[in-house]
Amino acid sequence: EPEVSALSLDGKHGAKIRYTYYPAAPASSLGHNNRFSQTLIVFLNGLMLPRSSWDASINAFLEKRTKAGLPYPALLSYDRYGQGDSDRDPGDVDPPPCHGHDIMSAVRDLRQFTLQIWKEHLQKSSPTQSPCLVFVCNSIGCAIARLFTQTYPGTVVGMMFLDSIMANSDYTSIWPNPDA
């Protein structure tokens, strides 16, 4: 069963990020060690989609792995500040439309969030290691994943992009000229 919960990031007390955490397969259910016990798959949703948009995919993945008796890692979906069930970013000040956060603050928040989740859920089994992060992302989540990986090298071992946005294109040069 997943844990549906919330936490405040260190330095942003009072504002909660809501998340759904699925623990890794226990070794006892597999009859052997779970080689993915130090892996955390983080689902990064698009701008307009809540974390629940990943539920069907996560459930299908877990069902297939469980039926086959295969190990699976811990899975995590969350709503960024101001999205879904999460509170507004404390950096956003009134009056609207003033926003105190940008994509790099979303990257820093993701780093702090994964560290806190690691300490709370995964570090207990291996207190000297850090998690192997894998990002499954959609839309703006792809840009966040790219910037995270660039900003924190060596922390991400894999990424899957779905409906990725191109963050460094003028959008006209990618289409062929119809008059050519």
Side-chain angles (χ1 to χ4, degrees), residues 127-141:
T128 59
Q129 293 183 357
S130 58
C132 297
L133 295 176
V134 175
F135 290 139
V136 177
C137 33
N138 179 19
S139 189
I140 194 72

Side-chain angles (χ1 to χ4, degrees), residues 36-47:
F36 300 117
S37 64
Q38 299 303 302
T39 302
L40 178 62
I41 297 180
V42 182
F43 292 82
L44 303 171
N45 26 313
L47 194 58

Side-chain angles (χ1 to χ4, degrees), residues 20-82:
T20 305
Y21 175 80
Y22 300 79
S28 60
S29 70
L30 303 171
H32 53 79
N33 286 336
N34 182 354
R35 65 179 183 219
F36 300 117
S37 64
Q38 299 303 302
T39 302
L40 178 62
I41 297 180
V42 182
F43 292 82
L44 303 171
N45 26 313
L47 194 58
M48 303 304 289
L49 296 173
R51 73 181 187 274
S52 61
S53 64
W54 294 108
D55 289 352
S57 297
I58 291 170
N59 290 330
F61 171 78
L62 291 173
E63 182 179 327
K64 287 177 184 173
R65 299 296 290 187
T66 303
K67 276 187 179 178
L70 297 171
Y72 53 86
L75 307 169
L76 178 68
S77 62
Y78 77 106
D79 290 323
R80 290 182 298 279
Y81 283 124

